[in-house]
Amino acid sequence: MTRFTVNDRPVQYRMDPETPLLWALRDASNLTGTKYGCGTGDCGACTVDIDGEAVRSCQVTIGKTEGRFVTTIEALSPDRGHPLQQAFAAENVSQCGYCMSGIIMAASVLLRRTNDPTDAEIDAAITNICRCGVYPRLRGAIKRAGRIMRGEDQAGDDPIQAAPPPGITPDEAVQAVPALRKP
Ligand code: FES
Ligand code: FES
């Protein structure tokens, strides 16, 4: 039995302790926002937050996660109101979107350290592979998220076009994002 915390909830997995965290999250907890790309630690599609660090969940076993705190994209902001989610939607960063949850989780760790990152800091923190090549746009969106966090910008003039997550109606999603509320 392996015990740790996922998205603020205690979990117990009756699985081989050598099971990669990625598979426990996806198959046992149905947290499919965390993606499988390479399985070799190269692409970053599986990135989650463990105790405040961006970690490639295909490369850490559930045994090594015992007692730790894991956050996945599903819990970054249930109302899509995180500055990164606002900025990425407003800047239309995503093409296929497959790499996005891993990139956003890595970026959220970066922005907790500094909300005004340089290009070099972004490039050092975001080593994820995007096969669609959206790197220039994602750099701009991370900087915009930083400006939103600093109160110098808002994504309000650009409608968020993505579908809301399951369980949240479009109206609730709009209510949840202050910048999109009608005056
Ligand atoms: S699936 Fe984990 S780094 Fe690619
Ligand atoms: S947006 Fe398609 S892989 Fe990154």
Side-chain angles (χ1 to χ4, degrees):
M1 182 85 73
T2 308
R3 296 182 174 87
F4 48 94
T5 303
V6 176
N7 298 343
D8 289 330
R9 292 187 183 169
V11 294
Q12 299 179 2
Y13 291 116
R14 288 195 179 89
M15 303 170 86
D16 184 333
E18 291 302 308
T19 304
L21 174 61
L22 172 63
W23 298 123
L25 294 173
R26 287 183 58 84
D27 292 350
S29 293
N30 200 29
L31 293 167
T32 54
T34 304
K35 301 301 185 195
Y36 169 58
C38 62
T40 55
D42 294 304
C43 74
C46 63
T47 301
V48 298
D49 182 316
I50 302 182
D51 294 337
E53 300 288 335
V55 175
R56 296 183 177 193
S57 62
C58 71
Q59 296 299 295
V60 60
T61 65
I62 58 172
K64 297 276 187 204
T65 314
E66 182 87 42
R68 303 179 74 185
F69 288 80
V70 177
T71 305
T72 70
I73 187 75
E74 286 87 353
L76 186 65
S77 170
D79 62 4
R80 301 187 307 155
H82 190 284
L84 280 165
Q85 290 166 306
Q86 293 185 51
F88 271 59
E91 299 280 326
N92 283 320
V93 173
S94 171
Q95 281 193 32
C96 78
Y98 198 81
C99 66
M100 282 295 125
S101 52
I103 287 175
I104 287 176
M105 293 311 291
S108 71
V109 170
L110 170 66
L111 289 181
R112 269 207 305 278
R113 292 189 181 135
T114 171
N115 63 16
D116 192 10
T118 63
D119 286 348
E121 286 171 328
I122 292 172
D123 292 348
I126 312 299
T127 55
N128 306 47
I129 294 171
C130 171
R131 280 169 289 186
C132 300
V134 302
Y135 301 106
R137 286 209 301 274
L138 77 86
R139 203 190 257 170
I142 291 170
K143 290 188 170 192
R144 186 169 183 178
R147 291 198 299 277
I148 294 170
M149 291 172 84
R150 302 197 303 273
E152 298 169 6
D153 194 355
Q154 57 179 9
D157 294 336
D158 303 296
I160 290 180
Q161 296 166 349
I168 295 183
T169 68
D171 282 349
E172 287 169 338
V174 168
Q175 288 302 313
V177 181
L180 292 182
R181 280 188 202 134
K182 294 194 175 95

